[in-house]
Coordinates of all heavy atoms in Angstrom, one line a residue:
M918 N -18.9 -8.9 22.8 CA -18.1 -10.0 22.4 C -18.6 -10.5 21.0 O -19.1 -11.6 20.9 CB -18.3 -11.2 23.4 CG -17.1 -12.1 23.5 SD -17.2 -13.1 24.9 CE -16.8 -14.6 24.2
S919 N -18.5 -9.7 20.1 CA -18.9 -10.0 18.8 C -17.7 -10.4 17.9 O -16.6 -10.1 18.1 CB -19.6 -8.8 18.1 OG -18.7 -7.8 18.0
K920 N -18.0 -11.3 16.9 CA -17.0 -11.7 16.0 C -17.4 -11.3 14.6 O -18.6 -11.3 14.2 CB -16.9 -13.2 16.0 CG -16.3 -13.8 17.3 CD -16.0 -15.2 17.1 CE -15.4 -15.8 18.4 NZ -15.0 -17.2 18.2
K921 N -16.4 -10.9 13.8 CA -16.7 -10.6 12.4 C -16.2 -11.6 11.5 O -15.1 -12.2 11.7 CB -16.0 -9.2 12.1 CG -16.6 -8.1 12.8 CD -16.0 -6.8 12.3 CE -16.7 -5.6 13.0 NZ -16.1 -4.3 12.6
Y922 N -17.0 -12.0 10.5 CA -16.7 -13.0 9.5 C -16.8 -12.4 8.1 O -17.7 -11.6 7.9 CB -17.6 -14.2 9.6 CG -17.4 -15.0 10.9 CD1 -18.3 -14.8 11.9 CD2 -16.4 -15.9 11.1 CE1 -18.2 -15.5 13.1 CE2 -16.3 -16.6 12.3 CZ -17.2 -16.4 13.3 OH -17.1 -17.1 14.4
K923 N -15.9 -12.8 7.2 CA -16.1 -12.4 5.8 C -16.4 -13.7 5.0 O -15.9 -14.8 5.2 CB -14.7 -11.9 5.3 CG -14.4 -10.5 5.6 CD -13.2 -10.0 4.9 CE -12.9 -8.6 5.3 NZ -11.7 -8.1 4.5
F924 N -17.4 -13.5 4.1 CA -17.9 -14.6 3.3 C -17.8 -14.3 1.8 O -18.1 -13.1 1.5 CB -19.4 -14.9 3.6 CG -19.6 -15.7 4.9 CD1 -19.8 -15.0 6.1 CD2 -19.5 -17.1 4.9 CE1 -20.0 -15.7 7.2 CE2 -19.7 -17.8 6.0 CZ -20.0 -17.1 7.2
N925 N -17.5 -15.2 1.0 CA -17.7 -15.1 -0.4 C -19.1 -15.6 -0.7 O -19.4 -16.7 -0.4 CB -16.7 -15.9 -1.2 CG -15.3 -15.4 -1.1 OD1 -15.1 -14.2 -1.0 ND2 -14.3 -16.2 -1.2
T926 N -19.9 -14.8 -1.4 CA -21.3 -15.2 -1.7 C -21.6 -15.0 -3.2 O -21.1 -14.1 -3.8 CB -22.3 -14.3 -0.9 OG1 -22.1 -13.0 -1.2 CG2 -22.1 -14.5 0.6
R927 N -22.4 -15.9 -3.7 CA -22.9 -15.8 -5.0 C -24.4 -15.8 -5.0 O -25.0 -16.6 -4.2 CB -22.5 -17.0 -5.9 CG -21.1 -16.9 -6.4 CD -20.7 -17.9 -7.4 NE -20.6 -19.2 -6.7 CZ -21.1 -20.3 -7.2 NH1 -21.7 -20.3 -8.4 NH2 -21.1 -21.5 -6.5
W928 N -25.0 -14.9 -5.7 CA -26.5 -14.7 -5.7 C -27.1 -14.9 -7.1 O -26.4 -14.6 -8.1 CB -26.7 -13.3 -5.2 CG -26.3 -13.0 -3.9 CD1 -25.0 -12.6 -3.5 CD2 -27.0 -13.0 -2.7 NE1 -25.0 -12.4 -2.2 CE2 -26.2 -12.7 -1.6 CE3 -28.4 -13.3 -2.4 CZ2 -26.6 -12.6 -0.3 CZ3 -28.8 -13.3 -1.1 CH2 -27.9 -12.9 -0.1
N929 N -28.3 -15.3 -7.1 CA -29.1 -15.4 -8.3 C -30.3 -14.5 -8.0 O -31.3 -14.9 -7.4 CB -29.6 -16.8 -8.7 CG -30.3 -16.8 -10.0 OD1 -30.4 -15.8 -10.7 ND2 -30.9 -18.0 -10.3
E930 N -30.2 -13.2 -8.4 CA -31.1 -12.1 -8.0 C -31.2 -12.0 -6.5 O -30.2 -11.6 -5.9 CB -32.5 -12.4 -8.7 CG -32.4 -12.3 -10.2 CD -33.8 -12.4 -10.8 OE1 -34.8 -12.3 -10.1 OE2 -33.8 -12.6 -12.0
N931 N -32.3 -12.5 -5.8 CA -32.4 -12.4 -4.4 C -32.1 -13.7 -3.7 O -32.3 -13.8 -2.5 CB -33.7 -11.9 -4.0 CG -33.9 -10.4 -4.4 OD1 -33.0 -9.7 -4.6 ND2 -35.2 -10.0 -4.7
I932 N -31.7 -14.7 -4.4 CA -31.5 -16.1 -3.8 C -30.1 -16.4 -3.6 O -29.3 -16.3 -4.6 CB -32.2 -17.1 -4.7 CG1 -33.7 -16.9 -4.9 CG2 -31.9 -18.5 -4.2 CD1 -34.3 -17.7 -5.9
L933 N -29.7 -16.7 -2.4 CA -28.3 -17.0 -2.1 C -28.0 -18.4 -2.7 O -28.6 -19.4 -2.3 CB -28.0 -17.0 -0.6 CG -26.6 -17.4 -0.1 CD1 -25.6 -16.3 -0.6 CD2 -26.6 -17.5 1.4
K934 N -27.0 -18.5 -3.6 CA -26.6 -19.8 -4.2 C -25.5 -20.4 -3.5 O -25.4 -21.7 -3.4 CB -26.3 -19.6 -5.7 CG -27.4 -19.2 -6.5 CD -28.4 -20.4 -6.6 CE -29.5 -20.1 -7.6 NZ -30.4 -21.2 -7.7
C935 N -24.5 -19.7 -3.0 CA -23.3 -20.2 -2.4 C -22.7 -19.2 -1.4 O -22.8 -18.0 -1.6 CB -22.2 -20.5 -3.5 SG -20.7 -21.1 -2.8
A936 N -22.2 -19.8 -0.3 CA -21.6 -18.9 0.7 C -20.5 -19.8 1.4 O -20.7 -20.9 1.8 CB -22.5 -18.5 1.8
C937 N -19.2 -19.3 1.3 CA -18.1 -19.9 2.0 C -17.2 -18.8 2.6 O -17.3 -17.7 2.2 CB -17.3 -20.8 1.0 SG -16.6 -19.9 -0.4
L938 N -16.4 -19.2 3.6 CA -15.6 -18.3 4.3 C -14.6 -17.7 3.3 O -14.0 -18.4 2.4 CB -14.9 -18.9 5.4 CG -15.7 -19.2 6.7 CD1 -15.0 -20.0 7.7 CD2 -16.2 -17.9 7.3
F939 N -14.2 -16.4 3.5 CA -13.3 -15.7 2.7 C -11.9 -16.4 2.9 O -11.5 -16.7 4.0 CB -13.2 -14.3 3.1 CG -12.3 -13.4 2.3 CD1 -12.7 -13.0 1.1 CD2 -11.0 -13.1 2.7 CE1 -12.0 -12.2 0.3 CE2 -10.2 -12.3 1.9 CZ -10.7 -11.8 0.7
G940 N -11.2 -16.7 1.8 CA -9.9 -17.3 1.8 C -10.0 -18.8 1.9 O -9.0 -19.5 2.1
N941 N -11.2 -19.4 1.6 CA -11.4 -20.9 1.6 C -10.6 -21.4 0.4 O -10.9 -21.1 -0.7 CB -12.8 -21.2 1.5 CG -13.1 -22.7 1.5 OD1 -12.2 -23.5 1.6 ND2 -14.4 -23.0 1.4
P942 N -9.6 -22.3 0.6 CA -8.8 -22.9 -0.5 C -9.6 -23.8 -1.4 O -9.2 -24.0 -2.5 CB -7.7 -23.6 0.2 CG -8.2 -23.9 1.6 CD -9.2 -22.8 1.9
A943 N -10.8 -24.3 -1.0 CA -11.6 -25.2 -1.8 C -12.5 -24.4 -2.7 O -13.1 -25.0 -3.6 CB -12.4 -26.1 -0.9
C944 N -12.6 -23.1 -2.6 CA -13.5 -22.3 -3.4 C -12.8 -22.0 -4.7 O -11.8 -21.3 -4.7 CB -13.9 -21.0 -2.7 SG -15.1 -20.0 -3.6
D945 N -13.3 -22.5 -5.8 CA -12.7 -22.3 -7.1 C -13.3 -21.2 -7.9 O -12.8 -20.8 -9.0 CB -12.7 -23.6 -7.9 CG -14.1 -24.1 -8.1 OD1 -15.0 -23.7 -7.5 OD2 -14.2 -25.0 -9.0
R946 N -14.4 -20.6 -7.4 CA -15.1 -19.5 -8.2 C -15.1 -18.2 -7.4 O -16.0 -17.4 -7.6 CB -16.6 -20.0 -8.4 CG -16.7 -21.2 -9.2 CD -18.1 -21.5 -9.4 NE -18.3 -22.8 -10.1 CZ -19.4 -23.5 -10.1 NH1 -20.4 -23.1 -9.5 NH2 -19.4 -24.6 -10.8
Y947 N -14.1 -18.0 -6.6 CA -14.1 -16.8 -5.7 C -14.0 -15.5 -6.5 O -14.4 -14.4 -6.0 CB -12.9 -16.9 -4.7 CG -11.5 -16.8 -5.3 CD1 -10.9 -15.6 -5.5 CD2 -10.9 -18.0 -5.8 CE1 -9.6 -15.5 -6.0 CE2 -9.7 -17.9 -6.3 CZ -9.0 -16.7 -6.5 OH -7.8 -16.6 -7.0
K948 N -13.5 -15.6 -7.7 CA -13.4 -14.3 -8.5 C -14.8 -13.8 -9.0 O -15.0 -12.6 -9.2 CB -12.6 -14.6 -9.8 CG -11.1 -14.8 -9.5 CD -10.3 -15.1 -10.7 CE -8.9 -15.4 -10.3 NZ -8.0 -15.7 -11.5
K949 N -15.8 -14.7 -9.0 CA -17.2 -14.2 -9.3 C -18.0 -13.9 -8.1 O -19.2 -13.5 -8.2 CB -17.9 -15.4 -10.1 CG -17.2 -15.7 -11.4 CD -17.9 -16.9 -12.1 CE -17.2 -17.3 -13.3 NZ -17.9 -18.4 -13.9
C950 N -17.4 -14.0 -6.9 CA -18.2 -13.8 -5.7 C -18.2 -12.4 -5.2 O -17.3 -11.6 -5.5 CB -17.6 -14.7 -4.6 SG -17.8 -16.5 -4.9
E951 N -19.2 -12.1 -4.4 CA -19.4 -10.8 -3.7 C -18.9 -11.1 -2.3 O -19.3 -12.0 -1.7 CB -20.8 -10.4 -3.8 CG -21.1 -9.1 -2.9 CD -22.6 -8.8 -2.9 OE1 -23.3 -9.4 -3.7 OE2 -22.9 -8.0 -2.1
V952 N -18.1 -10.2 -1.7 CA -17.6 -10.4 -0.4 C -18.5 -9.7 0.6 O -18.9 -8.5 0.4 CB -16.2 -9.8 -0.2 CG1 -15.7 -9.9 1.2 CG2 -15.2 -10.5 -1.1
L953 N -19.0 -10.4 1.5 CA -20.0 -9.9 2.6 C -19.3 -10.0 3.9 O -18.7 -11.1 4.2 CB -21.2 -10.7 2.6 CG -22.4 -10.2 1.9 CD1 -23.5 -11.3 1.8 CD2 -23.0 -9.0 2.6
E954 N -19.4 -9.0 4.7 CA -18.8 -9.0 6.1 C -20.0 -9.1 7.1 O -20.9 -8.2 7.1 CB -18.0 -7.8 6.4 CG -17.3 -7.9 7.7 CD -16.3 -6.8 7.9 OE1 -15.6 -6.4 6.9 OE2 -16.2 -6.2 9.0
L955 N -20.0 -10.2 7.9 CA -21.1 -10.4 8.8 C -20.6 -10.3 10.2 O -19.5 -10.7 10.5 CB -21.8 -11.7 8.6 CG -22.4 -11.9 7.2 CD1 -22.9 -13.4 7.1 CD2 -23.5 -11.0 7.0
T956 N -21.4 -9.8 11.2 CA -21.0 -9.7 12.6 C -22.0 -10.6 13.4 O -23.2 -10.5 13.3 CB -21.2 -8.2 13.1 OG1 -20.4 -7.4 12.2 CG2 -20.7 -8.1 14.5
L957 N -21.3 -11.5 14.1 CA -22.1 -12.4 15.0 C -22.0 -11.9 16.4 O -21.0 -11.7 17.0 CB -21.5 -13.8 14.9 CG -22.1 -14.9 15.8 CD1 -23.6 -15.1 15.4 CD2 -21.4 -16.1 15.7
E958 N -23.2 -11.6 17.0 CA -23.3 -11.2 18.4 C -24.2 -12.2 19.1 O -25.4 -12.0 19.2 CB -23.9 -9.8 18.4 CG -23.0 -8.8 17.7 CD -23.6 -7.4 17.7 OE1 -24.7 -7.1 18.4 OE2 -23.0 -6.5 17.1
P959 N -23.6 -13.3 19.7 CA -24.4 -14.3 20.3 C -25.1 -13.9 21.6 O -26.1 -14.5 21.9 CB -23.5 -15.4 20.5 CG -22.1 -14.8 20.6 CD -22.2 -13.6 19.7
Y960 N -24.6 -12.9 22.2 CA -25.2 -12.5 23.5 C -26.0 -11.2 23.5 O -26.1 -10.5 24.5 CB -24.1 -12.4 24.6 CG -23.3 -13.7 24.7 CD1 -22.0 -13.8 24.3 CD2 -24.0 -14.9 25.2 CE1 -21.3 -15.0 24.4 CE2 -23.3 -16.1 25.3 CZ -22.0 -16.1 24.9 OH -21.3 -17.3 25.0
T961 N -26.5 -10.9 22.3 CA -27.3 -9.7 22.2 C -28.6 -9.9 23.1 O -29.3 -10.9 23.0 CB -27.7 -9.4 20.8 OG1 -26.5 -9.4 20.0 CG2 -28.5 -8.1 20.6
D962 N -28.9 -8.9 23.9 CA -30.1 -8.8 24.7 C -30.2 -9.9 25.8 O -31.2 -10.2 26.3 CB -31.4 -8.9 23.9 CG -31.6 -7.7 23.0 OD1 -31.1 -6.6 23.3 OD2 -32.2 -7.9 21.9
I963 N -29.0 -10.5 26.2 CA -29.0 -11.5 27.2 C -29.4 -10.9 28.5 O -30.1 -11.5 29.3 CB -27.7 -12.3 27.2 CG1 -27.8 -13.5 28.2 CG2 -26.6 -11.4 27.7 CD1 -28.2 -14.7 27.5
E964 N -28.9 -9.7 28.8 CA -29.2 -9.0 30.1 C -30.7 -8.8 30.2 O -31.3 -9.0 31.3 CB -28.5 -7.7 30.2 CG -27.0 -8.0 30.3 CD -26.2 -6.7 30.4 OE1 -26.8 -5.6 30.3 OE2 -25.0 -6.8 30.4
K965 N -31.4 -8.4 29.1 CA -32.8 -8.2 29.1 C -33.6 -9.5 29.4 O -34.5 -9.5 30.2 CB -33.2 -7.6 27.8 CG -34.7 -7.3 27.6 CD -35.0 -6.8 26.2 CE -36.4 -6.8 25.9 NZ -36.7 -6.4 24.5
C966 N -33.1 -10.5 28.8 CA -33.7 -11.9 29.0 C -33.6 -12.3 30.5 O -34.5 -12.9 31.1 CB -33.1 -12.9 28.1 SG -33.7 -14.5 28.3
M967 N -32.4 -12.1 31.0 CA -32.1 -12.6 32.4 C -32.8 -11.8 33.4 O -32.9 -12.2 34.6 CB -30.6 -12.7 32.6 CG -29.9 -13.7 31.7 SD -30.6 -15.3 31.7 CE -30.2 -15.9 33.3
K968 N -33.2 -10.6 33.1 CA -34.0 -9.8 34.1 C -35.4 -10.3 34.3 O -36.1 -9.8 35.2 CB -34.0 -8.3 33.7 CG -32.7 -7.6 33.9 CD -32.7 -6.2 33.5 CE -31.4 -5.5 33.6 NZ -31.4 -4.1 33.2
H969 N -35.8 -11.1 33.4 CA -37.2 -11.7 33.5 C -37.3 -12.4 34.8 O -36.4 -13.1 35.3 CB -37.4 -12.6 32.3 CG -38.9 -12.9 32.2 ND1 -39.5 -13.9 32.8 CD2 -39.8 -12.3 31.4 CE1 -40.8 -14.0 32.4 NE2 -41.0 -13.0 31.6
R970 N -38.4 -12.3 35.5 CA -38.6 -12.9 36.8 C -38.7 -14.4 36.9 O -38.7 -15.0 37.9 CB -39.8 -12.3 37.5 CG -39.7 -10.8 37.7 CD -40.9 -10.2 38.3 NE -40.8 -8.8 38.3 CZ -40.8 -8.1 39.5 NH1 -40.9 -8.7 40.6 NH2 -40.7 -6.8 39.4
S971 N -38.8 -15.1 35.7 CA -39.0 -16.5 35.8 C -37.6 -17.3 35.9 O -37.6 -18.5 35.9 CB -39.7 -17.0 34.5 OG -38.9 -16.7 33.4
Y972 N -36.5 -16.5 36.1 CA -35.2 -17.2 36.4 C -34.8 -16.9 37.8 O -35.0 -15.9 38.4 CB -34.2 -16.6 35.4 CG -34.4 -16.9 34.0 CD1 -35.1 -16.1 33.1 CD2 -34.0 -18.1 33.5 CE1 -35.3 -16.4 31.8 CE2 -34.2 -18.5 32.1 CZ -34.9 -17.6 31.3 OH -35.1 -17.9 30.0
K973 N -34.1 -17.9 38.4 CA -33.6 -17.7 39.7 C -32.3 -18.6 39.8 O -32.2 -19.6 39.2 CB -34.6 -18.0 40.7 CG -34.4 -19.0 41.8 CD -35.5 -19.2 42.7 CE -35.3 -20.4 43.5 NZ -36.4 -20.7 44.4
R974 N -31.4 -18.1 40.7 CA -30.1 -18.8 40.9 C -30.3 -19.8 42.0 O -30.6 -19.4 43.1 CB -29.0 -17.8 41.2 CG -27.6 -18.4 41.2 CD -26.6 -17.4 41.4 NE -26.4 -16.6 40.2 CZ -25.7 -16.9 39.1 NH1 -25.0 -18.0 39.1 NH2 -25.6 -16.1 38.1
V975 N -30.0 -21.1 41.8 CA -30.1 -22.1 42.8 C -28.8 -22.9 42.8 O -28.4 -23.5 41.8 CB -31.3 -23.1 42.4 CG1 -31.3 -24.2 43.5 CG2 -32.6 -22.3 42.3
R976 N -28.1 -22.8 43.9 CA -26.8 -23.5 44.1 C -25.8 -23.2 43.0 O -25.2 -24.1 42.5 CB -27.0 -25.0 44.3 CG -27.6 -25.4 45.6 CD -27.7 -26.9 45.8 NE -29.1 -27.2 45.6 CZ -29.6 -28.3 45.1 NH1 -28.8 -29.3 44.9 NH2 -30.9 -28.5 45.0
G977 N -25.7 -21.9 42.6 CA -24.8 -21.5 41.6 C -25.2 -21.7 40.2 O -24.5 -21.3 39.3
K978 N -26.4 -22.3 40.0 CA -26.9 -22.5 38.6 C -28.1 -21.6 38.4 O -28.9 -21.3 39.3 CB -27.3 -23.9 38.4 CG -26.2 -24.9 38.6 CD -26.7 -26.3 38.4 CE -25.6 -27.3 38.7 NZ -26.2 -28.7 38.7
I979 N -28.3 -21.2 37.2 CA -29.5 -20.4 36.8 C -30.6 -21.4 36.3 O -30.3 -22.2 35.4 CB -29.2 -19.3 35.7 CG1 -28.2 -18.4 36.3 CG2 -30.4 -18.6 35.3 CD1 -27.7 -17.3 35.3
Q980 N -31.7 -21.3 37.0 CA -32.8 -22.2 36.6 C -34.1 -21.3 36.2 O -34.3 -20.3 36.8 CB -33.2 -23.1 37.7 CG -32.1 -24.1 38.0 CD -32.5 -25.1 39.1 OE1 -33.5 -24.8 39.9 NE2 -31.8 -26.2 39.3
Q981 N -34.8 -21.8 35.3 CA -36.1 -21.2 34.9 C -37.2 -21.8 35.8 O -37.2 -23.0 36.0 CB -36.4 -21.4 33.5 CG -37.6 -20.7 33.0 CD -37.8 -20.8 31.5 OE1 -37.1 -21.7 30.9 NE2 -38.7 -20.0 30.9
L982 N -38.0 -20.9 36.3 CA -39.1 -21.3 37.1 C -40.3 -21.8 36.3 O -40.5 -21.5 35.3 CB -39.5 -20.2 38.1 CG -38.4 -19.8 39.0 CD1 -38.9 -18.6 39.8 CD2 -38.0 -20.9 40.0

């Protein structure tokens, strides 16, 4: 369940100066920007984490011991 986002970014060598979503109407300098595509995966390794023995299901809820 990953989502992909496109950002307009401006850099000063290795320092990120500005980042806004692609197509942002408030961005007036988009012609000087580099387009970066990022993927957000919020549930990466959740199964590995939940296999840990310190969690248990109590009355339908997951609780940490």
Side-chain angles (χ1 to χ4, degrees):
M918 205 168 135
S919 63
K920 290 187 176 185
K921 291 187 179 181
Y922 295 99
K923 282 187 178 180
F924 284 93
N925 288 331
T926 59
R927 279 189 294 136
W928 298 84
N929 183 7
E930 296 183 15
N931 293 333
I932 300 170
L933 179 66
K934 290 292 184 180
C935 177
C937 61
L938 285 174
F939 186 78
N941 182 1
C944 183
D945 58 347
R946 298 181 186 163
Y947 67 92
K948 292 181 181 178
K949 298 178 183 177
C950 295
E951 174 185 348
V952 177
L953 261 169
E954 188 172 319
L955 301 174
T956 304
L957 175 65
E958 297 178 5
Y960 302 112
T961 305
D962 296 330
I963 189 89
E964 292 175 1
K965 179 181 168 187
C966 177
M967 296 309 290
K968 285 182 183 179
H969 197 272
R970 295 176 188 245
S971 66
Y972 293 95
K973 125 179 167 181
R974 187 174 291 275
V975 178
R976 288 183 255 155
K978 298 177 186 174
I979 295 176
Q980 293 182 345
Q981 186 176 9
L982 300 175

